[in-house]
Amino acid sequence: MSVAKKLGSEQKGIDAVKGYKDRLNQIQRKLMESNRRNSQVFFMEWINPIYNSGHWIPDLLHLAGGDDIFAKNEGHSNPIKWEDLKQYDPEIIIISPCGYDRKKAVEEVKQLQQLDGWKQLRAVNNNNVYLVDPNLFTQPSIGVIDGVELLAALFHSDIISMPKHLTRKYIKI
């Protein structure tokens, strides 16, 4: 609020924060009312080598109704072994290579598709592999709320609708 106050827009700041909290609360309410378990997900921050998610991304996953056994809360991303990911066999895979534009990321995903066992993963078989805009997750700003909304809609599409402004922020692989 101090920034909004210094800019002479304290009420706008208060209203904005309330709006962000309301968006997150709406997701939490829908998940709680549905009495649904969190989806088993893997959030991939890098493709070669494969990196898990770290820093605040595990918190975003949880807010969106997803659990990732490889996510490292408040820590750095780390490489993980392909064999370990295959054994985990997540329901949903989110690919978000930091620093890549969409075209480069799509090219890099082809490396994953060549890995032994890729086609046998549940996420692949159920058409639940998504390439998402990394800027929704890697920028420590209010934009991460859009990231939570996007993930929640991908994880629980039967109860959470994809916000229209986010439809161009992901592609199904």
Side-chain angles (χ1 to χ4, degrees), residues 58-98:
D59 293 325
L60 303 180
L61 295 170
H62 189 73
L63 286 169
D67 288 327
D68 181 346
I69 66 168
F70 293 109
K72 189 171 181 187
N73 268 354
E74 301 176 13
H76 295 288
S77 304
N78 295 302
I80 66 160
K81 296 177 182 172
W82 171 241
E83 291 303 318
D84 292 340
L85 180 56
K86 281 190 338 185
Q87 185 175 355
Y88 173 43
D89 196 18
E91 296 171 304
I92 300 168
I93 297 174
I94 303 295
I95 304 168
S96 184
C98 185

Coordinates of all heavy atoms in Angstrom, one line a residue, residues 58-98:
P58 N 6.2 -23.6 -6.2 CA 5.4 -24.6 -5.5 C 4.2 -24.1 -4.7 O 3.2 -24.8 -4.7 CB 6.5 -25.2 -4.5 CG 7.8 -25.0 -5.2 CD 7.6 -23.6 -5.9
D59 N 4.3 -22.9 -4.2 CA 3.2 -22.3 -3.5 C 2.0 -22.0 -4.5 O 0.9 -22.2 -4.2 CB 3.6 -21.0 -2.8 CG 4.5 -21.3 -1.6 OD1 4.3 -22.3 -1.0 OD2 5.4 -20.4 -1.4
L60 N 2.4 -21.5 -5.7 CA 1.4 -21.2 -6.8 C 0.7 -22.5 -7.2 O -0.5 -22.5 -7.4 CB 2.1 -20.6 -8.0 CG 2.8 -19.3 -7.7 CD1 3.4 -18.7 -9.0 CD2 2.0 -18.2 -7.1
L61 N 1.5 -23.6 -7.3 CA 0.9 -24.9 -7.7 C -0.1 -25.3 -6.6 O -1.2 -25.8 -7.0 CB 2.0 -26.0 -7.8 CG 3.0 -25.8 -8.9 CD1 4.2 -26.8 -8.7 CD2 2.4 -25.9 -10.3
H62 N 0.2 -25.2 -5.4 CA -0.7 -25.6 -4.3 C -1.9 -24.7 -4.3 O -3.0 -25.3 -4.1 CB 0.0 -25.5 -3.0 CG -0.7 -26.1 -1.9 ND1 -0.9 -27.5 -1.7 CD2 -1.5 -25.6 -0.9 CE1 -1.7 -27.7 -0.7 NE2 -2.0 -26.6 -0.1
L63 N -1.8 -23.4 -4.5 CA -3.0 -22.5 -4.5 C -3.9 -22.9 -5.7 O -5.1 -22.8 -5.6 CB -2.5 -21.1 -4.7 CG -1.9 -20.4 -3.5 CD1 -1.3 -19.1 -3.9 CD2 -3.0 -20.2 -2.4
A64 N -3.3 -23.5 -6.8 CA -4.1 -23.8 -7.9 C -4.7 -25.3 -7.8 O -5.4 -25.7 -8.7 CB -3.2 -23.7 -9.2
G65 N -4.4 -25.9 -6.7 CA -4.9 -27.3 -6.5 C -4.0 -28.4 -7.1 O -4.5 -29.4 -7.6
G66 N -2.7 -28.2 -7.1 CA -1.8 -29.2 -7.6 C -0.7 -29.5 -6.6 O -0.3 -28.6 -5.8
D67 N -0.2 -30.7 -6.6 CA 0.9 -31.1 -5.7 C 2.0 -31.7 -6.6 O 1.7 -32.4 -7.6 CB 0.5 -32.2 -4.7 CG -0.4 -31.7 -3.6 OD1 -0.2 -30.5 -3.2 OD2 -1.2 -32.4 -3.1
D68 N 3.2 -31.2 -6.4 CA 4.4 -31.7 -7.2 C 5.4 -32.2 -6.2 O 6.0 -31.4 -5.4 CB 4.9 -30.5 -8.0 CG 6.1 -30.8 -8.9 OD1 6.7 -31.9 -8.7 OD2 6.4 -30.0 -9.8
I69 N 5.7 -33.5 -6.2 CA 6.6 -34.0 -5.2 C 8.1 -33.5 -5.4 O 8.9 -33.6 -4.5 CB 6.6 -35.6 -5.2 CG1 7.1 -36.2 -6.5 CG2 5.2 -36.1 -4.9 CD1 7.4 -37.7 -6.5
F70 N 8.4 -33.0 -6.6 CA 9.7 -32.5 -6.9 C 9.9 -31.1 -6.6 O 11.0 -30.5 -6.6 CB 10.1 -32.8 -8.3 CG 10.3 -34.3 -8.6 CD1 9.3 -35.0 -9.4 CD2 11.3 -35.0 -8.1 CE1 9.5 -36.3 -9.7 CE2 11.4 -36.4 -8.4 CZ 10.5 -37.0 -9.2
A71 N 8.8 -30.3 -6.4 CA 8.9 -28.9 -6.2 C 9.7 -28.6 -4.9 O 9.5 -29.3 -3.9 CB 7.5 -28.3 -6.1
K72 N 10.5 -27.6 -5.0 CA 11.3 -27.2 -3.9 C 10.9 -25.8 -3.3 O 11.3 -24.8 -3.9 CB 12.8 -27.2 -4.3 CG 13.7 -27.1 -3.1 CD 15.2 -27.4 -3.6 CE 16.1 -27.2 -2.4 NZ 17.5 -27.3 -2.7
N73 N 10.1 -25.8 -2.3 CA 9.7 -24.6 -1.7 C 10.8 -23.7 -1.3 O 11.8 -24.2 -0.6 CB 8.8 -24.9 -0.5 CG 7.3 -25.0 -0.8 OD1 6.9 -24.7 -1.9 ND2 6.6 -25.3 0.2
E74 N 10.7 -22.5 -1.7 CA 11.7 -21.4 -1.2 C 13.1 -21.8 -1.6 O 14.0 -21.2 -1.0 CB 11.5 -21.1 0.3 CG 10.1 -20.7 0.6 CD 10.0 -20.5 2.1 OE1 11.0 -20.5 2.9 OE2 8.8 -20.4 2.5
G75 N 13.3 -22.6 -2.5 CA 14.7 -23.0 -2.9 C 14.9 -22.9 -4.4 O 14.0 -22.6 -5.1
H76 N 16.1 -23.2 -4.8 CA 16.4 -23.1 -6.2 C 15.9 -24.4 -6.9 O 15.7 -25.4 -6.3 CB 17.9 -23.1 -6.4 CG 18.6 -21.8 -5.9 ND1 18.4 -20.6 -6.5 CD2 19.3 -21.6 -4.8 CE1 19.0 -19.7 -5.8 NE2 19.6 -20.3 -4.8
S77 N 15.6 -24.2 -8.2 CA 15.3 -25.3 -9.0 C 16.5 -26.2 -9.2 O 17.7 -25.7 -9.1 CB 14.9 -24.9 -10.4 OG 13.8 -24.0 -10.3
N78 N 16.3 -27.5 -9.3 CA 17.4 -28.4 -9.5 C 17.1 -29.4 -10.6 O 16.0 -29.7 -10.9 CB 17.6 -29.2 -8.2 CG 18.0 -28.4 -7.0 OD1 19.0 -27.7 -7.1 ND2 17.2 -28.3 -6.0
P79 N 18.2 -30.0 -11.2 CA 18.0 -31.0 -12.2 C 17.4 -32.3 -11.5 O 17.8 -32.6 -10.3 CB 19.3 -31.3 -12.8 CG 20.3 -30.6 -11.9 CD 19.6 -29.7 -11.0
I80 N 16.5 -33.0 -12.2 CA 16.0 -34.2 -11.7 C 16.3 -35.3 -12.7 O 16.4 -35.0 -13.9 CB 14.5 -34.2 -11.3 CG1 13.6 -33.9 -12.5 CG2 14.3 -33.1 -10.2 CD1 12.2 -34.4 -12.3
K81 N 16.3 -36.5 -12.3 CA 16.6 -37.6 -13.2 C 15.3 -38.0 -14.0 O 14.2 -38.1 -13.4 CB 17.1 -38.8 -12.4 CG 18.4 -38.6 -11.8 CD 18.8 -39.8 -11.0 CE 20.1 -39.5 -10.3 NZ 20.5 -40.6 -9.3
W82 N 15.4 -38.3 -15.2 CA 14.3 -38.7 -16.1 C 13.7 -39.9 -15.5 O 12.4 -40.1 -15.4 CB 14.8 -38.9 -17.5 CG 13.7 -39.6 -18.4 CD1 13.8 -40.8 -19.0 CD2 12.4 -39.1 -18.7 NE1 12.7 -41.0 -19.7 CE2 11.8 -40.0 -19.5 CE3 11.7 -37.9 -18.3 CZ2 10.5 -39.8 -20.0 CZ3 10.4 -37.8 -18.8 CH2 9.8 -38.7 -19.6
E83 N 14.4 -40.9 -15.0 CA 13.9 -42.1 -14.4 C 13.0 -41.8 -13.2 O 12.0 -42.5 -13.0 CB 15.0 -43.1 -14.0 CG 15.8 -43.7 -15.2 CD 14.9 -44.4 -16.2 OE1 14.0 -45.1 -15.7 OE2 15.0 -44.2 -17.4
D84 N 13.4 -40.8 -12.4 CA 12.6 -40.4 -11.3 C 11.2 -39.8 -11.7 O 10.2 -40.1 -11.1 CB 13.3 -39.4 -10.4 CG 14.5 -40.1 -9.7 OD1 14.6 -41.3 -9.6 OD2 15.4 -39.3 -9.2
L85 N 11.3 -39.0 -12.7 CA 10.0 -38.4 -13.3 C 9.1 -39.5 -13.8 O 7.9 -39.5 -13.6 CB 10.3 -37.3 -14.3 CG 9.1 -36.6 -14.9 CD1 8.2 -36.0 -13.8 CD2 9.6 -35.6 -15.9
K86 N 9.7 -40.4 -14.6 CA 8.9 -41.5 -15.1 C 8.3 -42.3 -14.0 O 7.1 -42.7 -14.1 CB 9.8 -42.5 -15.9 CG 10.1 -42.0 -17.3 CD 10.7 -43.0 -18.2 CE 11.5 -44.2 -17.7 NZ 12.1 -45.0 -18.7
Q87 N 9.0 -42.6 -12.9 CA 8.4 -43.3 -11.8 C 7.3 -42.6 -11.1 O 6.3 -43.2 -10.7 CB 9.5 -43.7 -10.8 CG 9.0 -44.6 -9.7 CD 10.2 -45.0 -8.8 OE1 11.3 -44.7 -9.0 NE2 9.8 -45.7 -7.7
Y88 N 7.4 -41.3 -11.0 CA 6.4 -40.4 -10.4 C 5.1 -40.5 -11.3 O 4.0 -40.6 -10.8 CB 6.9 -39.0 -10.2 CG 5.9 -38.0 -9.8 CD1 5.0 -38.2 -8.8 CD2 5.9 -36.7 -10.4 CE1 4.1 -37.3 -8.4 CE2 5.0 -35.7 -10.0 CZ 4.1 -36.0 -9.0 OH 3.2 -35.0 -8.6
D89 N 5.3 -40.4 -12.6 CA 4.2 -40.5 -13.5 C 3.1 -39.6 -13.2 O 1.9 -40.0 -12.9 CB 3.7 -42.0 -13.6 CG 2.9 -42.2 -14.8 OD1 2.9 -41.5 -15.8 OD2 2.1 -43.3 -14.8
P90 N 3.3 -38.2 -13.3 CA 2.3 -37.3 -12.9 C 1.1 -37.3 -13.8 O 1.1 -37.7 -15.0 CB 3.0 -35.9 -13.0 CG 4.1 -36.2 -14.0 CD 4.5 -37.6 -13.9
E91 N 0.0 -36.8 -13.3 CA -1.3 -36.7 -14.1 C -1.2 -35.5 -15.1 O -1.8 -35.6 -16.1 CB -2.5 -36.4 -13.1 CG -2.8 -37.5 -12.1 CD -3.8 -37.0 -11.1 OE1 -3.6 -36.0 -10.4 OE2 -4.8 -37.7 -11.0
I92 N -0.5 -34.5 -14.7 CA -0.4 -33.3 -15.5 C 1.1 -32.8 -15.5 O 1.7 -32.8 -14.5 CB -1.3 -32.2 -14.9 CG1 -2.7 -32.6 -14.9 CG2 -1.1 -30.9 -15.8 CD1 -3.6 -31.7 -14.1
I93 N 1.6 -32.4 -16.7 CA 2.9 -31.9 -16.8 C 2.8 -30.4 -17.3 O 2.1 -30.2 -18.4 CB 3.8 -32.7 -17.7 CG1 4.0 -34.1 -17.1 CG2 5.2 -32.0 -17.9 CD1 4.8 -35.0 -18.0
I94 N 3.4 -29.5 -16.6 CA 3.5 -28.1 -17.0 C 4.9 -27.8 -17.4 O 5.8 -28.0 -16.6 CB 3.0 -27.2 -15.9 CG1 1.6 -27.5 -15.4 CG2 3.1 -25.7 -16.3 CD1 0.5 -27.3 -16.4
I95 N 5.1 -27.3 -18.6 CA 6.4 -27.0 -19.1 C 6.5 -25.5 -19.3 O 5.7 -24.9 -19.9 CB 6.7 -27.7 -20.5 CG1 6.5 -29.2 -20.3 CG2 8.1 -27.4 -20.9 CD1 6.5 -30.0 -21.6
S96 N 7.5 -24.9 -18.6 CA 7.6 -23.5 -18.6 C 9.1 -23.1 -18.6 O 9.6 -22.6 -17.6 CB 6.9 -22.9 -17.3 OG 6.9 -21.6 -17.3
P97 N 9.8 -23.3 -19.7 CA 11.2 -23.0 -19.8 C 11.5 -21.4 -19.7 O 11.2 -20.7 -20.7 CB 11.7 -23.6 -21.1 CG 10.5 -23.7 -21.9 CD 9.3 -23.8 -21.0
C98 N 12.1 -21.0 -18.6 CA 12.3 -19.6 -18.4 C 13.2 -19.0 -19.5 O 14.3 -19.6 -19.8 CB 13.0 -19.4 -17.0 SG 13.3 -17.7 -16.6

